[in-house]
Amino acid sequence: TPRIDYSTGAKAFLLEPQSTNLIPYSEDFSNAAWVKGNVIITPNQGISPDGLNNASKYLGASTNQNFGTTINVSSNYTYSFYVKAINSPFIRLRTSDNSCWFNMTTNAVATNNFASAEIKSVGNDWYRISVISSSFTASNTFYVHPHATDNTTSEMNGAEFLLWGAQVEQQSYSTSYVPTSGATATRNQELCNNA
């Protein structure tokens, strides 16, 4: 969207708005901030979308798995994750509000209970899956789960997939990934000025 400086007639095109990733450990899933129940997380098991060997492998050890982190949100939010399936036909994003199952075979949104959801290829069999909530609770836990079938709450025993780049933004749209390593991080808005 162009913004015109009327004193000079120059146009400033907004390339991307400012955004903050509220998840303090967006890549270090072995950190205690990520609660693990019947889940084994092994770091550095694959090349992530940033080209480094820093993707983690998720291994589920039963049909009752929990893997998530709790943060505070005070308005509508967008939750996203980069995932690469190994043997998990479905991967679910879940929060305290709702769930969405993504079909990793057809690379499509399956059952969705959020306001909206999206799966987007980023190359090398990696996908960014995201959901947008229009109803929220102030203290929210953000989970990711593997499943053998759509629209089930039983996790897949022995499921494996790669994951990287978790993000929660307090706005009703997603922006590019903002990495964090112990605290929230903000990317300033990006403008392209054309006189």
Side-chain angles (χ1 to χ4, degrees):
T1 302
R3 299 180 180 180
I4 300 175
D5 182 345
Y6 289 99
S7 65
T8 63
K11 293 181 180 178
F13 290 87
L14 179 62
L15 299 180
E16 192 160 37
Q18 177 175 304
S19 186
T20 299
N21 188 352
L22 299 176
I23 293 181
Y25 293 92
S26 64
E27 298 175 21
D28 183 6
F29 306 121
S30 61
N31 188 276
W34 288 91
V35 176
K36 305 160 196 74
N38 298 319
V39 172
I40 299 170
I41 299 294
T42 308
N44 305 324
Q45 294 299 297
I47 304 300
S48 75
D50 72 351
L52 301 176
N53 183 33
N54 59 356
S56 296
K57 185 172 77 171
Y58 177 116
L59 171 61
S62 79
T63 58
N64 184 21
Q65 303 161 30
N66 269 313
F67 175 70
T69 188
T70 301
I71 59 175
N72 291 324
V73 293
S74 58
S75 64
N76 297 340
Y77 61 82
T78 301
Y79 173 35
S80 59
F81 234 120
Y82 290 88
V83 296
K84 183 175 183 177
I86 297 176
N87 68 349
S88 306
F90 292 85
I91 294 177
R92 174 171 60 136
L93 289 184
R94 176 171 74 94
T95 72
S96 304
D97 304 324
N98 283 306
S99 287
C100 179
W101 290 258
F102 296 87
N103 188 325
M104 302 309 297
T105 302
T106 63
N107 306 316
V109 175
T111 300
N112 174 39
N113 299 318
F114 285 93
S116 64
E118 180 182 49
I119 180 169
K120 182 178 181 181
S121 173
V122 295
N124 195 28
D125 296 324
W126 279 95
Y127 291 84
R128 191 184 195 191
I129 55 177
S130 62
V131 293
I132 297 174
S133 175
S134 58
S135 61
F136 64 94
T137 54
S139 181
N140 211 318
T141 303
F142 296 83
Y143 302 92
V144 60
H145 303 283
H147 296 278
T149 59
D150 182 26
N151 198 17
T152 178
T153 57
S154 294
E155 285 74 39
M156 178 180 170
N157 188 15
E160 293 180 313
F161 64 97
L162 297 179
L163 68 166
W164 179 81
Q167 182 155 295
V168 171
E169 303 169 80
Q170 199 161 276
Q171 56 201 22
S172 57
Y173 54 89
S174 63
T175 67
S176 61
Y177 172 56
V178 181
T180 63
S181 56
T184 63
T186 299
R187 178 195 58 252
N188 292 329
Q189 72 175 10
E190 298 174 353
L191 295 174
C192 178
N193 293 309
N194 179 12

